[in-house]
Amino acid sequence: MRKGVLSMRIEALSELSDSPLPQTDGSKLNPFFDPSRPSDRHVKFLRLLGGGGHGYVFEVIIDSQRYALKIFKFYNPQAHRPLTHLGIPSDTITPQVDPFFAECRAFGRLIQCGLNGDIGVHCYGYIKLPVEFESMITRSMAARSIGGFCWDRPSQGELSQGGPSQLEPFRGIVKELVSGDPFTSEMVEEMGADLLKLSNIGVYPIDIKEDNYRGGRLTDFSASWTFPHVMLSFEGRPAFAIQLQEELLGKMIQEVPVSAEEGR
């Protein structure tokens, strides 16, 4: 799906949430809307900015402010079956490896450490949207003869095996709206230093690629391991994660065309 092709005028009413997520050990992310303070919970969708394996990013207006809102696909616990075969309970794994929870935990840790908006883009919290959001989006895209979204909703068979409910609300994370290039050659050294800072606070992004950067800052933590994490409990895994980051960063830099880099 090409970025920036969909302009829309959709308005959805966010559900109220009052609990930080995920509800497990470790860092958590607070809801965007403060339930103790009245506010306009309408989310106005302006356009699609892009999409990937874990969800879609939209430009939205909330309370007269523009943000980037990442709406996540549904996560099926069957995806981590190999870990459950090792005797690790599913209710321990899901809050750590579900991409939505992974991003909540990473941004929560950055906020805890006073690094929100520094190493990564600024995060403002999570929101939940009702199931009706899907039909709104579908109608908007059909009117423009554009292919639909794939939200990875589970089948009835998967529901019986512990997948998400068909009535489960959509989950999203509200972030700073950033434009411009992913990075410039002058930013590369600092980007490497930022990954080291992240590992020092127990956050290991393992999906280092050009699409996940804006202005030298990470925008996506949905494939990150944040301590405590089941993948970091195996011997040598933290060192492996750091080595993987270095390799991916080096590969990303090499793959940036010289002409594009010079034009930045």
Side-chain angles (χ1 to χ4, degrees), residues 66-262:
R66 291 180 184 251
Y67 300 98
L69 172 61
K70 182 175 182 179
I71 307 270
F72 287 80
K73 297 180 180 181
F74 292 94
Y75 177 74
N76 192 330
Q78 295 300 310
H80 61 240
R81 184 181 293 179
L83 290 172
T84 59
H85 286 171
L86 295 176
I88 305 171
S90 183
D91 58 1
T92 297
I93 303 170
T94 298
Q96 297 179 2
V97 303
D98 176 332
F100 168 69
F101 288 141
E103 195 152 288
C104 283
R105 297 181 79 230
F107 276 120
R109 183 62 177 154
L110 286 169
I111 292 170
Q112 271 184 332
C113 296
L115 295 173
N116 193 18
D118 181 4
I119 297 175
V121 295
H122 197 98
C123 176
Y124 297 93
Y126 76 86
I127 67 170
K128 292 185 177 182
L129 294 174
V131 294
E132 291 78 15
F133 164 77
E134 184 170 10
S135 60
M136 294 177 186
I137 286 287
T138 300
R139 287 196 300 269
S140 178
M141 298 191 76
R144 294 162 175 78
S145 299
I146 300 173
F149 293 94
C150 175
W151 296 109
D152 291 345
R153 278 194 177 278
S155 65
Q156 288 300 320
E158 289 170 329
L159 283 173
S160 66
Q161 299 178 46
S165 166
Q166 290 282 12
L167 299 179
E168 187 173 332
F170 286 88
R171 307 166 303 169
I173 292 182
V174 183
K175 308 176 189 178
E176 172 187 2
L177 181 64
V178 182
S179 60
D181 294 312
F183 61 91
T184 65
S185 57
E186 291 79 11
M187 298 175 182
V188 169
E189 184 175 349
E190 185 174 356
M191 288 161 59
D194 284 345
L195 291 175
L196 181 58
K197 288 180 187 177
L198 285 170
S199 64
N200 287 338
I201 63 171
V203 179
Y204 299 84
I206 57 171
D207 191 18
I208 305 300
K209 59 184 180 182
E210 188 177 4
D211 284 348
N212 289 344
Y213 277 93
R214 281 294 177 273
R217 291 182 297 164
L218 278 164
T219 62
D220 190 310
F221 288 90
S222 59
S224 59
W225 302 341
T226 301
F227 186 84
H229 195 284
V230 61
M231 295 305 295
L232 295 171
S233 64
F234 298 106
E235 185 176 355
R237 278 290 170 162
F240 165 78
I242 293 173
Q243 181 181 351
L244 179 61
Q245 289 173 346
E246 292 174 350
E247 292 175 357
L248 292 175
L249 182 63
K251 181 181 179 182
M252 178 183 72
I253 294 166
Q254 290 175 358
E255 289 179 348
V256 175
V258 174
S259 58
E261 187 173 340
E262 289 176 346

Side-chain angles (χ1 to χ4, degrees), residues 19-31:
S19 300
L21 292 177
Q23 295 180 353
T24 187
D25 293 339
S27 52
K28 301 170 176 59
L29 185 64
N30 287 322

